[in-house]
Amino acid sequence: DVKVTQSSRYLVKRTGEKVFLECVQDMDHENMFWYRQDPGLGLRLIYFSYDVKMKEKGDIPEGYSVSREKKERFSLILESASTNQTSMYLCASSLRTGASNQPQHFGDGTRLSIL
Amino acid sequence: AQKITQTQPGMFVQEKEAVTLDCTYDTSDPSYGLFWYKQPSSGEMIFLIYQGSYDQQNATEGRYSLNFQKARKSANLVISASQLGDSAMYFCALIKAAGNKLTFGGGTRVLVKP
């Protein structure tokens, strides 16, 4: 089974801090994704990566950056956290681009609160 | 642009009964796929079922089945014989063929009553 592991289930940070959310997958997937989930809005894509050091902006990239130095690890960075970034953050991975019938596999999520 | 609409924000269902969750979509791509995910209160997203736009038959997976009506652009999830453990949020999502990004609907919360 694919395992996607997010480093924290709950995180509390202060406004202006630099925040790192880490995600690791163990199935050699090429694609990795970061979403945020807010009530009534479903999941919205922040960034995704289709290869090491490659990234593309999703629908809501403002205020975020990402890093993928190794295939199994994808980090989401909040450069200067703000209260409107309080949310649930979900990481996912999928096999590769073109295998669109293969599902994305998700981590357990990180509930981030910015005070 | 792709769009997914789930019009039912929440619903109750009696244990052992069937429930249908609505999903309509909008895409200009001729080839695409549709996924359903379940999210229990613990937060993880669990893949349930997939339907390709050119699949000849409606997808089924255990107690889950998809009522796929391509002309109407709908892909409703049917859960048969509901169980208490089916209480969760359910999300419909759309992907372009050969794509890698999912577009999600807003979700439907299901509560199964004993």
Side-chain angles (χ1 to χ4, degrees), chain A residues 9 31 33 35 37 40-43 45 48 50 56-57 88 90 97-98 100-104 106-108 111, chain B residues 33 35 37 39 41-47 50 89 91 95-107:
Chain A
R9 289 300 304 271
N31 296 333
F33 307 83
Y35 295 91
Q37 181 179 10
L41 298 178
L43 277 73
L45 182 65
F48 80 98
Y50 50 90
E56 280 193 27
K57 293 180 180 178
M88 170 76 138
L90 288 158
T97 302
S100 54
N101 61 341
Q102 298 298 308
Q104 290 185 14
F106 286 81
D108 290 343
R111 292 191 185 275
Chain B
F35 293 88
Y37 284 86
Q39 187 181 40
S41 57
S42 50
E44 75 273 27
M45 294 282 283
I46 302 166
F47 163 67
Y50 168 82
M89 282 289 288
F91 291 95
I95 191 169
K96 280 196 242 186
N100 47 24
K101 292 188 281 186
L102 288 173
T103 301
F104 283 86

Short mmCIF file of all heavy atoms in Angstrom, two decimals, chain A residues 9 31 33 35 37 40-43 45 48 50 56-57 88 90 97-98 100-104 106-108 111, chain B residues 33 35 37 39 41-47 50 89 91 95-107:
data_model
loop_
_atom_site.label_atom_id
_atom_site.label_comp_id
_atom_site.label_asym_id
_atom_site.label_seq_id
_atom_site.Cartn_x
_atom_site.Cartn_y
_atom_site.Cartn_z
N ARG A 9 0.32 16.32 12.62
CA ARG A 9 -1.14 16.33 12.50
C ARG A 9 -1.70 17.68 12.90
O ARG A 9 -2.70 18.14 12.34
CB ARG A 9 -1.78 15.25 13.40
CG ARG A 9 -1.57 13.83 12.95
CD ARG A 9 -2.14 13.56 11.57
NE ARG A 9 -3.56 13.87 11.41
CZ ARG A 9 -4.55 13.01 11.65
NH1 ARG A 9 -4.28 11.81 12.10
NH2 ARG A 9 -5.80 13.36 11.45
N ASN A 31 4.56 12.20 -9.10
CA ASN A 31 3.80 13.43 -8.80
C ASN A 31 3.53 13.57 -7.31
O ASN A 31 3.19 12.60 -6.63
CB ASN A 31 2.44 13.38 -9.51
CG ASN A 31 2.55 13.38 -11.01
OD1 ASN A 31 3.52 13.87 -11.57
ND2 ASN A 31 1.57 12.81 -11.67
N PHE A 33 1.62 16.58 -4.51
CA PHE A 33 0.69 17.70 -4.49
C PHE A 33 0.54 18.24 -3.08
O PHE A 33 0.59 17.48 -2.11
CB PHE A 33 -0.71 17.24 -4.96
CG PHE A 33 -0.73 16.54 -6.28
CD1 PHE A 33 -0.44 15.18 -6.37
CD2 PHE A 33 -1.05 17.22 -7.44
CE1 PHE A 33 -0.46 14.52 -7.59
CE2 PHE A 33 -1.09 16.57 -8.66
CZ PHE A 33 -0.79 15.23 -8.74
N TYR A 35 -2.47 20.52 -1.09
CA TYR A 35 -3.79 21.12 -1.11
C TYR A 35 -4.06 21.80 0.23
O TYR A 35 -3.52 21.40 1.26
CB TYR A 35 -4.89 20.06 -1.27
CG TYR A 35 -4.89 19.30 -2.56
CD1 TYR A 35 -4.18 18.10 -2.69
CD2 TYR A 35 -5.64 19.73 -3.64
CE1 TYR A 35 -4.21 17.38 -3.88
CE2 TYR A 35 -5.69 19.02 -4.82
CZ TYR A 35 -4.96 17.85 -4.92
OH TYR A 35 -5.01 17.14 -6.10
N GLN A 37 -7.62 22.67 2.52
CA GLN A 37 -9.04 22.34 2.58
C GLN A 37 -9.72 23.25 3.57
O GLN A 37 -9.34 23.31 4.75
CB GLN A 37 -9.23 20.88 3.03
CG GLN A 37 -10.68 20.47 3.07
CD GLN A 37 -10.86 19.03 3.49
OE1 GLN A 37 -9.93 18.37 3.93
NE2 GLN A 37 -12.07 18.52 3.34
N GLY A 40 -16.67 24.00 2.91
CA GLY A 40 -17.49 24.49 1.80
C GLY A 40 -16.73 24.74 0.52
O GLY A 40 -17.33 24.92 -0.54
N LEU A 41 -15.41 24.71 0.58
CA LEU A 41 -14.60 25.00 -0.62
C LEU A 41 -13.94 23.76 -1.19
O LEU A 41 -13.26 23.83 -2.22
CB LEU A 41 -13.53 26.05 -0.30
CG LEU A 41 -14.04 27.42 0.14
CD1 LEU A 41 -12.88 28.34 0.48
CD2 LEU A 41 -14.92 28.05 -0.94
N GLY A 42 -14.09 22.64 -0.54
CA GLY A 42 -13.42 21.43 -1.01
C GLY A 42 -11.91 21.56 -0.87
O GLY A 42 -11.41 22.28 -0.01
N LEU A 43 -11.21 20.86 -1.73
CA LEU A 43 -9.75 20.92 -1.73
C LEU A 43 -9.29 21.82 -2.87
O LEU A 43 -9.76 21.68 -4.01
CB LEU A 43 -9.16 19.52 -1.94
CG LEU A 43 -9.04 18.64 -0.71
CD1 LEU A 43 -10.39 18.13 -0.25
CD2 LEU A 43 -8.10 17.47 -0.99
N LEU A 45 -5.85 23.23 -4.92
CA LEU A 45 -4.45 22.90 -5.16
C LEU A 45 -3.57 24.12 -4.99
O LEU A 45 -3.81 25.16 -5.60
CB LEU A 45 -4.31 22.33 -6.58
CG LEU A 45 -2.92 21.88 -6.99
CD1 LEU A 45 -2.46 20.69 -6.15
CD2 LEU A 45 -2.90 21.53 -8.47
N PHE A 48 2.01 21.71 -7.23
CA PHE A 48 2.35 20.32 -7.41
C PHE A 48 3.70 20.18 -8.09
O PHE A 48 4.23 21.14 -8.66
CB PHE A 48 1.25 19.55 -8.14
CG PHE A 48 1.25 19.73 -9.63
CD1 PHE A 48 1.83 18.78 -10.47
CD2 PHE A 48 0.63 20.82 -10.21
CE1 PHE A 48 1.80 18.93 -11.83
CE2 PHE A 48 0.59 20.98 -11.58
CZ PHE A 48 1.19 20.03 -12.39
N TYR A 50 6.04 17.37 -10.53
CA TYR A 50 6.01 16.16 -11.36
C TYR A 50 7.37 15.50 -11.46
O TYR A 50 7.53 14.48 -12.14
CB TYR A 50 5.45 16.47 -12.75
CG TYR A 50 6.10 17.63 -13.43
CD1 TYR A 50 7.21 17.46 -14.24
CD2 TYR A 50 5.60 18.93 -13.28
CE1 TYR A 50 7.81 18.53 -14.87
CE2 TYR A 50 6.20 20.00 -13.90
CZ TYR A 50 7.30 19.79 -14.69
OH TYR A 50 7.89 20.87 -15.30
N GLU A 56 4.92 23.24 -10.30
CA GLU A 56 3.98 24.10 -11.01
C GLU A 56 2.99 24.70 -10.01
O GLU A 56 2.60 24.03 -9.05
CB GLU A 56 3.20 23.33 -12.07
CG GLU A 56 3.96 23.11 -13.34
CD GLU A 56 3.06 22.62 -14.47
OE1 GLU A 56 1.85 22.91 -14.45
OE2 GLU A 56 3.58 21.95 -15.37
N LYS A 57 2.60 25.92 -10.28
CA LYS A 57 1.61 26.55 -9.42
C LYS A 57 0.25 25.90 -9.63
O LYS A 57 -0.10 25.52 -10.75
CB LYS A 57 1.50 28.04 -9.74
CG LYS A 57 2.74 28.83 -9.37
CD LYS A 57 2.57 30.29 -9.72
CE LYS A 57 3.82 31.08 -9.36
NZ LYS A 57 3.69 32.51 -9.73
N MET A 88 -6.63 23.30 6.94
CA MET A 88 -6.17 21.92 6.88
C MET A 88 -5.35 21.78 5.61
O MET A 88 -5.82 22.17 4.53
CB MET A 88 -7.38 20.97 6.83
CG MET A 88 -7.04 19.54 6.54
SD MET A 88 -6.35 18.70 7.96
CE MET A 88 -7.18 17.14 7.86
N LEU A 90 -3.33 19.17 3.06
CA LEU A 90 -3.23 17.76 2.67
C LEU A 90 -2.19 17.60 1.59
O LEU A 90 -2.15 18.35 0.61
CB LEU A 90 -4.58 17.27 2.14
CG LEU A 90 -5.67 17.09 3.19
CD1 LEU A 90 -7.04 17.13 2.57
CD2 LEU A 90 -5.49 15.77 3.93
N THR A 97 2.39 11.50 -14.40
CA THR A 97 1.54 12.20 -15.37
C THR A 97 1.23 11.26 -16.53
O THR A 97 2.10 10.55 -17.01
CB THR A 97 2.26 13.46 -15.88
OG1 THR A 97 2.57 14.29 -14.77
CG2 THR A 97 1.40 14.21 -16.87
N GLY A 98 -0.03 11.24 -16.94
CA GLY A 98 -0.45 10.35 -18.01
C GLY A 98 -1.18 9.13 -17.50
O GLY A 98 -1.99 8.55 -18.21
N SER A 100 -3.72 8.86 -15.63
CA SER A 100 -4.77 9.63 -14.96
C SER A 100 -5.85 8.75 -14.36
O SER A 100 -6.69 9.24 -13.61
CB SER A 100 -5.40 10.62 -15.95
OG SER A 100 -5.83 9.95 -17.10
N ASN A 101 -5.84 7.44 -14.65
CA ASN A 101 -6.80 6.56 -14.01
C ASN A 101 -6.29 6.06 -12.66
O ASN A 101 -6.99 5.33 -11.96
CB ASN A 101 -7.15 5.37 -14.91
CG ASN A 101 -5.93 4.54 -15.23
OD1 ASN A 101 -4.81 4.99 -15.09
ND2 ASN A 101 -6.15 3.32 -15.67
N GLN A 102 -5.08 6.43 -12.31
CA GLN A 102 -4.53 6.04 -11.02
C GLN A 102 -4.85 7.12 -9.98
O GLN A 102 -4.64 8.30 -10.22
CB GLN A 102 -3.01 5.87 -11.12
CG GLN A 102 -2.60 4.77 -12.08
CD GLN A 102 -3.11 3.42 -11.62
OE1 GLN A 102 -2.90 3.02 -10.49
NE2 GLN A 102 -3.81 2.73 -12.51
N PRO A 103 -5.36 6.72 -8.83
CA PRO A 103 -5.78 7.73 -7.84
C PRO A 103 -4.61 8.45 -7.20
O PRO A 103 -3.50 7.92 -7.14
CB PRO A 103 -6.54 6.90 -6.82
CG PRO A 103 -5.92 5.54 -6.89
CD PRO A 103 -5.58 5.34 -8.35
N GLN A 104 -4.89 9.62 -6.70
CA GLN A 104 -3.95 10.27 -5.80
C GLN A 104 -4.13 9.64 -4.42
O GLN A 104 -5.24 9.34 -3.99
CB GLN A 104 -4.21 11.77 -5.74
CG GLN A 104 -3.84 12.49 -7.01
CD GLN A 104 -3.99 14.00 -6.90
OE1 GLN A 104 -4.12 14.55 -5.82
NE2 GLN A 104 -3.96 14.67 -8.05
N PHE A 106 -3.43 10.16 -0.35
CA PHE A 106 -3.30 11.30 0.54
C PHE A 106 -2.69 10.94 1.88
O PHE A 106 -2.86 9.81 2.38
CB PHE A 106 -4.70 11.90 0.79
CG PHE A 106 -5.24 12.68 -0.37
CD1 PHE A 106 -5.83 12.02 -1.44
CD2 PHE A 106 -5.15 14.06 -0.40
CE1 PHE A 106 -6.32 12.74 -2.53
CE2 PHE A 106 -5.65 14.78 -1.47
CZ PHE A 106 -6.23 14.13 -2.53
N GLY A 107 -2.03 11.93 2.46
CA GLY A 107 -1.62 11.83 3.85
C GLY A 107 -2.79 12.13 4.78
O GLY A 107 -3.90 12.41 4.32
N ASP A 108 -2.53 12.08 6.07
CA ASP A 108 -3.59 12.28 7.07
C ASP A 108 -3.94 13.75 7.28
O ASP A 108 -4.91 14.06 7.97
CB ASP A 108 -3.17 11.67 8.41
CG ASP A 108 -3.16 10.16 8.36
OD1 ASP A 108 -3.78 9.59 7.42
OD2 ASP A 108 -2.55 9.54 9.25
N ARG A 111 -3.46 20.05 10.47
CA ARG A 111 -4.32 21.18 10.86
C ARG A 111 -3.41 22.28 11.38
O ARG A 111 -2.82 22.15 12.45
CB ARG A 111 -5.32 20.76 11.90
CG ARG A 111 -6.36 19.81 11.37
CD ARG A 111 -7.52 19.60 12.34
NE ARG A 111 -8.45 18.59 11.86
CZ ARG A 111 -9.44 18.81 11.02
NH1 ARG A 111 -9.66 20.04 10.56
NH2 ARG A 111 -10.24 17.84 10.63
N GLY B 33 -11.51 11.64 -16.42
CA GLY B 33 -11.86 10.64 -15.43
C GLY B 33 -12.48 11.29 -14.21
O GLY B 33 -12.28 12.48 -13.95
N PHE B 35 -13.26 10.67 -10.01
CA PHE B 35 -12.93 9.94 -8.78
C PHE B 35 -13.92 10.33 -7.68
O PHE B 35 -14.42 11.45 -7.64
CB PHE B 35 -11.53 10.31 -8.27
CG PHE B 35 -10.39 9.86 -9.14
CD1 PHE B 35 -9.93 10.64 -10.18
CD2 PHE B 35 -9.78 8.64 -8.90
CE1 PHE B 35 -8.87 10.23 -10.97
CE2 PHE B 35 -8.71 8.22 -9.68
CZ PHE B 35 -8.26 9.02 -10.71
N TYR B 37 -13.87 10.23 -3.39
CA TYR B 37 -13.08 10.02 -2.18
C TYR B 37 -13.98 10.16 -0.96
O TYR B 37 -14.95 10.92 -0.96
CB TYR B 37 -11.96 11.06 -2.07
CG TYR B 37 -10.78 10.82 -2.97
CD1 TYR B 37 -10.77 11.31 -4.28
CD2 TYR B 37 -9.66 10.14 -2.52
CE1 TYR B 37 -9.68 11.10 -5.11
CE2 TYR B 37 -8.55 9.94 -3.33
CZ TYR B 37 -8.57 10.43 -4.63
OH TYR B 37 -7.49 10.23 -5.44
N GLN B 39 -13.81 11.08 3.20
CA GLN B 39 -12.98 11.67 4.24
C GLN B 39 -13.68 11.54 5.60
O GLN B 39 -14.58 12.32 5.91
CB GLN B 39 -12.68 13.14 3.94
CG GLN B 39 -11.68 13.75 4.92
CD GLN B 39 -11.42 15.22 4.63
OE1 GLN B 39 -12.33 15.98 4.31
NE2 GLN B 39 -10.16 15.62 4.74
N SER B 41 -13.97 11.72 9.81
CA SER B 41 -13.65 12.85 10.69
C SER B 41 -12.17 12.88 11.08
O SER B 41 -11.66 13.94 11.45
CB SER B 41 -14.52 12.80 11.95
OG SER B 41 -14.34 11.57 12.61
N SER B 42 -11.49 11.78 10.95
CA SER B 42 -10.06 11.74 11.26
C SER B 42 -9.22 12.49 10.23
O SER B 42 -8.07 12.82 10.50
CB SER B 42 -9.59 10.29 11.36
OG SER B 42 -10.02 9.57 10.23
N GLY B 43 -9.78 12.74 9.04
CA GLY B 43 -9.12 13.64 8.11
C GLY B 43 -8.51 13.02 6.87
O GLY B 43 -8.32 13.72 5.88
N GLU B 44 -8.18 11.73 6.90
CA GLU B 44 -7.52 11.18 5.70
C GLU B 44 -8.51 11.03 4.55
O GLU B 44 -9.68 10.81 4.76
CB GLU B 44 -6.86 9.82 6.02
CG GLU B 44 -7.81 8.66 6.16
CD GLU B 44 -8.36 8.51 7.55
OE1 GLU B 44 -8.46 9.51 8.27
OE2 GLU B 44 -8.73 7.37 7.91
N MET B 45 -8.02 11.18 3.34
CA MET B 45 -8.84 11.03 2.14
C MET B 45 -8.65 9.62 1.61
O MET B 45 -7.53 9.19 1.34
CB MET B 45 -8.39 12.02 1.05
CG MET B 45 -8.63 13.47 1.41
SD MET B 45 -10.34 13.95 1.18
CE MET B 45 -10.39 14.12 -0.59
N ILE B 46 -9.75 8.90 1.46
CA ILE B 46 -9.70 7.50 1.05
C ILE B 46 -10.31 7.38 -0.34
O ILE B 46 -11.47 7.74 -0.56
CB ILE B 46 -10.48 6.63 2.04
CG1 ILE B 46 -9.91 6.79 3.45
CG2 ILE B 46 -10.46 5.16 1.61
CD1 ILE B 46 -10.80 6.25 4.55
N PHE B 47 -9.55 6.83 -1.28
CA PHE B 47 -10.04 6.62 -2.64
C PHE B 47 -11.11 5.53 -2.64
O PHE B 47 -10.93 4.47 -2.05
CB PHE B 47 -8.89 6.22 -3.55
CG PHE B 47 -9.31 5.60 -4.84
CD1 PHE B 47 -9.98 6.35 -5.80
CD2 PHE B 47 -9.04 4.27 -5.11
CE1 PHE B 47 -10.37 5.78 -6.99
CE2 PHE B 47 -9.43 3.70 -6.30
CZ PHE B 47 -10.10 4.44 -7.24
N TYR B 50 -13.33 4.88 -9.37
CA TYR B 50 -12.93 5.67 -10.52
C TYR B 50 -13.79 5.30 -11.73
O TYR B 50 -14.12 4.13 -11.94
CB TYR B 50 -11.46 5.41 -10.86
CG TYR B 50 -11.03 5.96 -12.20
CD1 TYR B 50 -10.68 7.30 -12.33
CD2 TYR B 50 -11.02 5.15 -13.33
CE1 TYR B 50 -10.30 7.81 -13.55
CE2 TYR B 50 -10.65 5.66 -14.56
CZ TYR B 50 -10.28 6.99 -14.66
OH TYR B 50 -9.92 7.50 -15.88
N MET B 89 -17.37 12.81 5.03
CA MET B 89 -17.50 13.72 3.88
C MET B 89 -17.13 12.92 2.63
O MET B 89 -16.20 12.10 2.66
CB MET B 89 -16.53 14.90 4.02
CG MET B 89 -16.98 15.98 4.96
SD MET B 89 -18.36 16.94 4.32
CE MET B 89 -17.56 17.90 3.03
N PHE B 91 -16.20 13.39 -1.52
CA PHE B 91 -15.80 14.35 -2.54
C PHE B 91 -15.75 13.68 -3.91
O PHE B 91 -15.22 12.57 -4.07
CB PHE B 91 -14.40 14.91 -2.23
CG PHE B 91 -14.36 15.80 -1.03
CD1 PHE B 91 -14.01 15.29 0.21
CD2 PHE B 91 -14.67 17.15 -1.14
CE1 PHE B 91 -13.97 16.12 1.33
CE2 PHE B 91 -14.62 17.98 -0.03
CZ PHE B 91 -14.28 17.46 1.20
N ILE B 95 -10.48 14.71 -13.47
CA ILE B 95 -9.13 14.82 -14.00
C ILE B 95 -9.18 14.72 -15.52
O ILE B 95 -9.99 13.97 -16.07
CB ILE B 95 -8.21 13.71 -13.41
CG1 ILE B 95 -6.74 13.98 -13.75
CG2 ILE B 95 -8.63 12.33 -13.90
CD1 ILE B 95 -5.77 13.09 -12.97
N LYS B 96 -8.33 15.48 -16.18
CA LYS B 96 -8.20 15.35 -17.64
C LYS B 96 -7.48 14.06 -17.95
O LYS B 96 -6.56 13.68 -17.23
CB LYS B 96 -7.32 16.48 -18.18
CG LYS B 96 -7.97 17.80 -18.38
CD LYS B 96 -7.07 18.65 -19.29
CE LYS B 96 -6.59 19.87 -18.60
NZ LYS B 96 -5.84 20.75 -19.50
N ALA B 97 -7.82 13.43 -19.05
CA ALA B 97 -7.05 12.26 -19.48
C ALA B 97 -5.62 12.71 -19.74
O ALA B 97 -5.39 13.79 -20.29
CB ALA B 97 -7.64 11.69 -20.75
N ALA B 98 -4.67 11.91 -19.32
CA ALA B 98 -3.24 12.24 -19.42
C ALA B 98 -2.86 13.45 -18.58
O ALA B 98 -1.75 13.98 -18.70
CB ALA B 98 -2.82 12.45 -20.86
N GLY B 99 -3.76 13.89 -17.72
CA GLY B 99 -3.44 15.01 -16.82
C GLY B 99 -2.95 14.49 -15.50
O GLY B 99 -2.80 13.28 -15.28
N ASN B 100 -2.68 15.41 -14.59
CA ASN B 100 -2.24 15.00 -13.27
C ASN B 100 -2.93 15.78 -12.16
O ASN B 100 -2.76 15.45 -10.99
CB ASN B 100 -0.71 15.14 -13.13
CG ASN B 100 -0.21 16.47 -13.64
OD1 ASN B 100 -0.95 17.44 -13.68
ND2 ASN B 100 1.04 16.52 -14.05
N LYS B 101 -3.72 16.78 -12.48
CA LYS B 101 -4.36 17.59 -11.45
C LYS B 101 -5.83 17.23 -11.32
O LYS B 101 -6.54 17.07 -12.31
CB LYS B 101 -4.22 19.07 -11.78
CG LYS B 101 -2.79 19.57 -11.69
CD LYS B 101 -2.74 21.07 -11.85
CE LYS B 101 -2.84 21.48 -13.30
NZ LYS B 101 -2.64 22.94 -13.46
N LEU B 102 -6.27 17.14 -10.06
CA LEU B 102 -7.68 16.90 -9.77
C LEU B 102 -8.39 18.21 -9.47
O LEU B 102 -7.83 19.08 -8.80
CB LEU B 102 -7.82 15.99 -8.55
CG LEU B 102 -7.46 14.51 -8.70
CD1 LEU B 102 -7.51 13.82 -7.35
CD2 LEU B 102 -8.42 13.84 -9.66
N THR B 103 -9.63 18.32 -9.93
CA THR B 103 -10.51 19.41 -9.54
C THR B 103 -11.59 18.82 -8.65
O THR B 103 -12.29 17.89 -9.07
CB THR B 103 -11.15 20.08 -10.77
OG1 THR B 103 -10.12 20.58 -11.61
CG2 THR B 103 -12.06 21.22 -10.34
N PHE B 104 -11.72 19.34 -7.44
CA PHE B 104 -12.64 18.76 -6.45
C PHE B 104 -13.93 19.57 -6.35
O PHE B 104 -13.93 20.79 -6.51
CB PHE B 104 -11.99 18.74 -5.06
CG PHE B 104 -10.98 17.66 -4.87
CD1 PHE B 104 -9.66 17.84 -5.25
CD2 PHE B 104 -11.35 16.45 -4.31
CE1 PHE B 104 -8.72 16.84 -5.07
CE2 PHE B 104 -10.41 15.44 -4.12
CZ PHE B 104 -9.10 15.64 -4.51
N GLY B 105 -15.01 18.87 -6.01
CA GLY B 105 -16.24 19.53 -5.61
C GLY B 105 -16.16 19.93 -4.15
O GLY B 105 -15.18 19.63 -3.45
N GLY B 106 -17.21 20.59 -3.68
CA GLY B 106 -17.22 21.09 -2.31
C GLY B 106 -17.52 20.04 -1.25
O GLY B 106 -17.37 20.30 -0.07
N GLY B 107 -17.96 18.87 -1.71
CA GLY B 107 -18.19 17.78 -0.76
C GLY B 107 -19.61 17.66 -0.28
O GLY B 107 -20.38 18.64 -0.29
#
